[in-house]
């Protein structure tokens, strides 16, 4: 009994620690947590702690050698495209499905889950699997010489996060506004959000809709799955008659009913695969739901993960009083004029006082932002054949 309580406490602690870590990792540099303990925790974990460890490593030769080896392994795993995590995700997912099919499905319907629930169960799984395949298989929107002009016309340059007439130092193509070069994929991606190791590709303009659908349906799979597995354990308790079972209590020297908690611990002990999937689902659910909520929120606010840190740089530049605004009929025009620079012309300019005064040019309201993600403009690179035909036509 004591071991059971300790195990439950450990699982709860694990879930809390993991969720807190994901929360700090994802939201630590978010503007809404500026100046709070979340920002300080992020700064400690991702700035001060690594710097202190680095300084220590530099002092100890053997550790330095080990760190170099670890860095080489890290680069092999995360530095270039590599299907390892994609395979791991697929294997774990289907292992979970197999446990569900062989251990939980025979107990559905049960006292808590009606037969009709097979429809939402299958629909949720099908949506989740289809959106994962589509997110992996759809090109995120590569910028190459065949489509760089079309890609550059999708978003205007705001002169704050993105500047016109820049070229990628690696691919040498023009840099469309909102694009970023992915060092893992080795290509420039339109409206780059982030590189996802679980998809083994970038999330960008053309596959972000499938990524959002995947996150939303995976959140549903985690929540619904936790519920279904929990009902199966409760049902097993009743089917096996553990609610009526009497056990000998040594201290009291009498028979007494098996407690609810002991019966659940017995069942989880008796069906380890079911218990592992249930615990994994409980650990995953807060992290997945939190990440999904964050991703939907920034999508509705009109910025990407990549732009989150760029906006922080703008906030710093505003703090240094080098961001200026000029009124124009089509909306405010922003410029960064360093302290030792002169403005290009004599138009009246206003020094921007805070980030709240800046209009995000890429924000068209929640509905408009989501509409853009779900119906992106066609700017995919031409196929090599079409590209050859285009060149032949031009010459
Ligand atoms: Zn590039
Ligand atoms: Zn990438």
């Amino acid at each position: 009994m004591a071991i059971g309580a300790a195990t439950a406490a450990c699982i709860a602690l694990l879930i809390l620690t993991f969720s807190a870590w994901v929360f700090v990792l994802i939201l630590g540099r978010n503007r809404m947590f500026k100046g709070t303990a979340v920002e300080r925790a992020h700064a400690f974990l991702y700035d001060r702690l690594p710097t202190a460890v680095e300084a220590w490593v530099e002092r100890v030769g053997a550790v330095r050698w080990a760190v170099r080896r670890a860095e080489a392994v890290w680069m092999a795993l995360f530095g270039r495209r590599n299907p390892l995590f994609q395979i791991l995700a697929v294997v774990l997912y289907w292992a979970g499905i197999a446990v569900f099919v062989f251990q939980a499905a025979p107990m559905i319907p049960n006292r808590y889950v009606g037969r009709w629930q097979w429809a939402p169960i299958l629909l949720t799984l099908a949506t989740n699997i289809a959106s994962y395949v589509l997110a992996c298989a759809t090109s995120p929107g590569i910028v190459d010489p065949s489509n760089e002009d079309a890609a550059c016309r999708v978003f205007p340059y705001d002169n704050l996060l993105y500047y016109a007439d820049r070229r990628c130092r690696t691919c040498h193509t023009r840099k469309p506004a909102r694009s970023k070069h992915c060092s893992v994929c080795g290509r420039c991606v339109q409206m780059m959000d982030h590189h996802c190791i679980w998809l083994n590709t970038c999330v960008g303009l053309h596959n972000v809709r499938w990524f959002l659908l995947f996150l939303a349906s995976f959140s549903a799979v985690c929540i619904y799955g936790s519920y279904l597995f929990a009902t199966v354990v409760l049902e097993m308790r009743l089917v096996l008659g553990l609610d009526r079972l009497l056990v000998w209590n040594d201290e009291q020297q009498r028979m007494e009913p098996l407690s609810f908690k002991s019966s659940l611990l017995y069942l989880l002990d008796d069906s380890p695969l079911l218990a592992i999937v249930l615990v994994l689902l409980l650990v995953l659910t807060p992290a997945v739901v939190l990440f999904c909520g964050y991703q939907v929120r920034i999508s509705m606010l009109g910025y990407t993960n990549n732009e989150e840190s760029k906006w922080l740089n703008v906030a710093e530049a505003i703090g240094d009083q080098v961001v200026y605004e000029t009124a124009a009929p089509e909306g405010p025009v922003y410029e960064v004029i360093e302290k030792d620079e002169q403005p290009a012309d004599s138009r009246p300019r206003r020094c921007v006082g805070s980030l709240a005064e800046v209009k995000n040019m890429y924000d068209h309201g929640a509905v408009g932002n989501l509409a853009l993600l779900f119906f992106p403009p066609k700017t995919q690179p031409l196929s090599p054949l079409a590209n050859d035909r285009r060149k032949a036509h031009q010459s």
Side-chain angles (χ1 to χ4, degrees):
M1 181 52 68
I3 292 171
T7 314
C10 281
I11 292 170
L13 195 68
L14 184 74
I15 294 172
L16 273 176
T17 313
F18 185 71
S19 303
W21 173 71
V22 171
F23 189 84
V24 168
L25 171 72
I26 296 173
L27 297 175
R29 290 203 72 206
N30 195 293
R31 270 174 284 163
M32 69 181 163
F33 289 108
K34 201 153 177 52
T36 66
V38 179
E39 191 195 41
R40 285 194 293 276
H42 188 279
F44 174 76
L45 280 174
Y46 297 96
D47 197 12
R48 284 203 294 280
L49 191 65
T51 310
V53 171
E54 238 172 76
W56 177 74
V57 161
E58 279 308 311
R59 280 206 303 273
V60 188
V63 178
R64 197 162 56 222
W65 178 86
V67 166
R68 296 271 143 80
R69 304 300 322 150
E71 274 173 358
V73 173
W74 179 271
M75 278 309 288
L77 283 177
F78 301 102
R80 51 182 171 266
R81 282 185 84 193
N82 159 10
L84 190 71
F85 291 95
Q86 204 179 15
I87 294 168
L88 183 72
V90 171
V91 167
L92 282 176
Y93 191 93
W94 284 98
I97 299 267
V99 173
F100 178 74
V101 167
F102 292 109
Q103 300 214 340
M107 311 269 305
I108 293 173
N110 58 42
R111 261 160 267 217
Y112 312 92
V113 178
R115 188 177 299 279
W116 65 270
Q117 290 210 27
W118 274 113
I121 290 170
L122 293 175
L123 186 71
T124 312
L125 280 175
T127 309
N128 194 227
I129 294 165
S131 57
Y132 181 78
V133 172
L134 284 165
C136 293
T138 308
S139 165
I142 311 302
V143 186
D144 76 7
S146 77
N147 75 335
E148 60 179 4
D149 294 336
C152 285
R153 284 194 295 270
V154 175
F155 299 107
Y157 293 92
D158 66 352
N159 249 1
L160 270 179
L161 309 187
Y162 303 100
Y163 300 91
D165 301 326
R166 297 248 167 119
R167 284 191 175 270
C168 173
R169 270 174 293 175
T170 316
C171 344
H172 309 295
T173 53
R174 287 177 63 197
K175 275 182 97 63
R178 312 195 76 183
S179 71
K180 185 181 185 277
H181 182 87
C182 173
S183 58
V184 180
C185 299
R187 55 201 187 176
C188 272
V189 174
Q190 298 173 61
M191 208 187 82
M192 160 80 147
D193 190 88
H194 69 287
H195 180 89
C196 178
I197 55 167
W198 305 106
L199 301 179
N200 194 29
T201 186
C202 282
V203 174
L205 181 63
H206 293 282
N207 67 345
V208 66
R209 56 197 153 149
W210 304 126
F211 178 68
L212 286 177
L213 190 62
F214 166 72
L215 277 184
S217 55
F218 193 44
S219 299
V221 165
C222 288
I223 296 169
Y224 202 10
S226 306
Y227 168 72
L228 292 172
F229 274 93
T231 67
V232 164
V233 176
L234 292 176
E235 178 74 2
M236 276 161 71
R237 178 173 169 269
L238 299 179
V239 169
L240 295 175
L242 297 184
D243 55 328
R244 301 184 301 274
L245 192 71
L246 295 175
V247 286
W248 179 252
N249 184 324
D250 238 6
E251 273 173 32
Q252 308 280 331
Q253 288 291 304
R254 62 180 161 91
M255 297 294 281
E256 61 178 31
L258 183 68
S259 75
F260 179 73
K261 201 169 81 182
S262 304
S263 65
L264 292 191
L265 289 172
Y266 165 77
L267 285 168
L268 293 179
D269 204 39
D270 198 44
S271 315
L273 287 176
L274 208 131
I276 289 170
V277 175
L278 182 57
V279 169
L280 272 179
L281 280 173
L282 290 175
V283 173
L284 263 180
T285 302
V288 172
V289 171
L290 194 74
F291 185 54
C292 178
Y294 167 74
Q295 197 71 37
V296 170
R297 183 177 174 275
I298 66 167
S299 301
M300 289 168 78
L301 289 174
Y303 60 94
T304 60
N305 264 304
N306 173 43
E307 286 164 358
E308 175 64 29
S309 56
K310 284 180 177 281
W311 278 113
L312 281 167
N313 295 340
V314 171
E316 271 165 34
I318 290 172
D320 295 340
Q321 299 188 319
V322 294
V323 178
Y324 290 85
E325 180 192 310
T326 314
E330 61 279 4
V333 177
Y334 298 103
E335 285 167 290
V336 176
I337 305 173
E338 296 294 343
K339 287 269 186 315
D340 54 354
E341 280 176 4
Q342 285 299 317
D345 52 60
S346 59
R347 282 180 301 172
R349 288 173 168 79
R350 187 179 73 85
C351 184
V352 177
S354 82
L355 196 58
E357 295 171 21
V358 178
K359 176 163 174 22
N360 174 9
M361 197 185 266
Y362 309 118
D363 176 15
H364 303 289
V367 176
N369 297 334
L370 289 181
L372 173 86
L373 301 190
F374 281 89
F375 306 100
K378 288 191 171 52
T379 55
Q380 292 285 29
L382 298 171
S383 67
L385 200 68
N387 207 5
D388 288 348
R389 249 187 263 131
R390 192 180 72 134
K391 276 189 195 144
H393 180 74
Q394 278 172 350
S395 61

